[in-house]
Amino acid sequence: MLRSRWLIALSALTLLLTSCGATQSGESKVALAALPFTVTEMARFDEPWAMTFLPGTPYALITQRDGKLKLWQQGAQPVEVVGVPAVDYAGQGGLGDVVPAPDFATSGTLYLSYAEAGPGNTRGAAVARAKLDLQNAVPRLSDVTVIWRQFPKVTGDGHYSHRIAFSPDGKYLFIASGERQKFAPAQDMRQNLGKVIRLLPDGTPAAGNPFAATGGVAMQVWTLGHRNILGLKFDPQGQLWDLEHGPAGGDELNLVKPGQNYGWPLVSNGDHYDGKPIPRHVSRPDFAAPAISWNPVIAPGDFIFYSGAMFPEWRGQAIIAGLGSGGLVRVAIESGTARELGRIPLGSRIREITEAIDGAIWVLEDGDNARLLRLSARN
């Protein structure tokens, strides 16, 4: 009976979200008794990947994989920001994450990640720092400087990861570097693929990194043995977590601790797409095991640790945007482990999730003409 009710609610939600048109203000509201919030459509974007609210302003920035960076405020049409670096737009590649610097309110500094073309049909992720100028009629990036690159650039157009996070004290910049669907680089300390990177805000390796004595790109490395990290966040206790795509099964939420090896491609809780088995994490206790894994996969987009007042019962929980699961996945964190609490269907692939200052949750759908939705408490 409960399953039937959820299926009916999901069908109704999909129908309403598809059929209800935007009002003159660009918003449309959907409220279903089966959902714990009101869903409000705010805007639409093509292939959005990341979103951030800009501190001290009424604006948000949204990246589109085709290389466009959009400045948006409620009640207005998105405006394209000029000066964005050229991106390699193919497959999973394109413009990726956007994160304001900890001192953005005074410096106007942003960090952007994107896929960058290289010689011989190669490509790799890059992270650039830039100033956002909002003083002119057309918003613009200036002083664009690349501060980090994946090494080496390789063929293919998948598993860039390139999520960005600052430590709570603002001193350190963390970057998720995917293994580019090449497997072995995740265990190779001569490459920075398949790693979590820890830098100073100017892009230099941070003092105290666990592999600094090795030299080369290993000086950047915080952890290794990662596949494709699509979420990188600090929890309320200041601990770093990553959300990682597994192969055929085995999506992971990991507590990221310095110097640890998370095992890819030697272990996984999933198997290869051709059915070839991969040894499970339990078989190699020398590798760090996930706090939770999913099989079948949820195919995560991004996640937050919720901290707002609008949904007090969710405080401290990881709220995951699900591409494969088509909605939100709620996870409780308990002493370094995790357990799923429940799923909330939204009827579409959810690429991005962020929390506004008022505690509302904002999500971006995946794909063309994707909706930006505000999830708020019922009145």
Side-chain angles (χ1 to χ4, degrees), residues 209-224:
N209 280 352
F211 304 101
T214 305
V217 294
M219 296 175 66
Q220 308 171 358
V221 174
W222 193 242
T223 58
L224 68 153

Side-chain angles (χ1 to χ4, degrees), residues 88-91 115-125 152-158 160 180 182:
D88 192 276
Y89 173 47
E116 180 185 60
N121 197 34
T122 62
R123 52 195 59 84
K153 285 184 168 64
V154 297
T155 57
D157 52 24
Y160 293 96
R180 299 298 323 285
K182 302 300 183 183

Side-chain angles (χ1 to χ4, degrees), residues 223-244:
T223 58
L224 68 153
H226 300 283
R227 185 174 183 267
N228 188 24
I229 298 169
L230 270 294
L232 192 66
K233 293 289 189 299
F234 282 88
D235 69 16
Q237 289 73 46
Q239 301 176 114
L240 182 62
W241 296 76
D242 80 49
L243 186 61
E244 194 162 338

